[in-house]
Amino acid sequence: MTRDFTIRKQAIIAGVVLLVLADVALAAYSWHLASAPQSPREQLSLEMKQHDLLKADIKRAQDIRDKIPAIQKNFDQFENSLFPASSGYSAVTSELDGLAKKAGIQIEDRSFRSTEITSRGITQVLVDATVVGDYKNVIHFLNGIQRSPNLYEVDALALATENVNQAPSGAIKVALHLKTYFRTAS
């Protein structure tokens, strides 16, 4: 008898659980119906807005897809404008020396560190240098770097310590950290 009672008890509990779940489902459906537009005109208006949004998204995606060849062409032109790795170091040295001479400053302690970016066929080159000159000339040098047709990214500038006996009067010494890139792929 206790076994029959246990089975009946479990059946009753299962029935109550099913009724509670059905009530929750009906409540959710009722809430959904209550939050939906009441008239067919409102429903049509809502669906038209959704249609217009989807249409605009499709248009934007097509525009992006249409622009991909031009973007790829521009990217290829940019990569081809980078110095080739075989002559990049001497080209950067020559250009920086020319900019320094034009600005009336001196470059000291120049060093290069490179990191290969094999997935793109380029090499990132970190250039550390110290420049010495008066403030105005250092600014002219930095403007020359900025206006260079070649890519230079100035990461950091810091005033460096200067021996008073070695520097001309009014000169400052600036530690310059910049990046450039070389083309390694043919």
Side-chain angles (χ1 to χ4, degrees):
M1 180 149 164
T2 59
R3 186 165 197 233
D4 288 337
F5 179 73
T6 305
I7 293 174
R8 284 186 197 160
K9 184 177 166 184
Q10 289 175 346
I12 291 171
I13 290 173
V16 169
V17 168
L18 284 174
L19 285 173
V20 169
L21 288 174
D23 281 345
V24 169
L26 286 173
Y29 180 70
S30 175
W31 178 78
H32 176 67
L33 286 177
S35 65
Q38 298 301 317
S39 71
R41 181 171 286 163
E42 290 174 344
Q43 181 68 27
L44 177 63
S45 174
L46 181 63
E47 288 181 10
M48 290 298 287
K49 286 179 185 177
Q50 184 67 24
H51 178 265
D52 291 343
L53 288 172
L54 291 173
K55 205 172 178 181
D57 285 344
I58 291 170
K59 172 93 171 90
R60 278 192 296 274
Q62 287 173 337
D63 290 344
I64 290 170
R65 186 183 60 210
D66 292 344
K67 291 177 184 177
I68 287 176
I71 291 169
Q72 184 63 44
K73 181 181 175 189
N74 289 340
F75 185 74
D76 291 342
Q77 285 175 340
F78 168 75
E79 277 189 343
N80 289 332
S81 74
L82 297 175
F83 292 123
S86 60
S87 62
Y89 292 100
S90 60
V92 168
T93 299
S94 175
E95 183 172 19
L96 292 178
D97 286 344
L99 291 171
K101 184 176 181 180
K102 186 175 177 183
I105 65 168
Q106 293 178 331
I107 297 180
E108 300 176 348
D109 305 326
R110 183 181 359 223
S111 66
F112 297 94
R113 287 187 319 268
S114 63
T115 304
E116 189 89 17
I117 305 173
T118 54
S119 63
R120 291 301 314 158
I122 61 175
T123 301
Q124 179 186 49
V125 179
L126 302 174
V127 181
D128 291 324
T130 305
V131 296
V132 179
D134 66 20
Y135 177 81
K136 180 180 168 185
N137 293 351
V138 170
I139 296 301
H140 284 303
F141 175 72
L142 292 172
N143 284 336
I145 289 175
Q146 180 182 3
R147 290 188 176 98
S148 171
N150 301 305
L151 176 66
Y152 295 103
E153 178 184 334
V154 177
D155 276 343
L157 297 171
L159 283 175
T161 58
E162 177 66 60
N163 285 341
V164 177
N165 299 339
Q166 293 179 347
S169 176
I172 60 171
K173 191 173 192 178
V174 177
L176 173 68
H177 305 281
L178 58 94
K179 290 181 195 173
T180 191
Y181 298 88
F182 296 158
R183 179 179 71 240
T184 54
S186 53

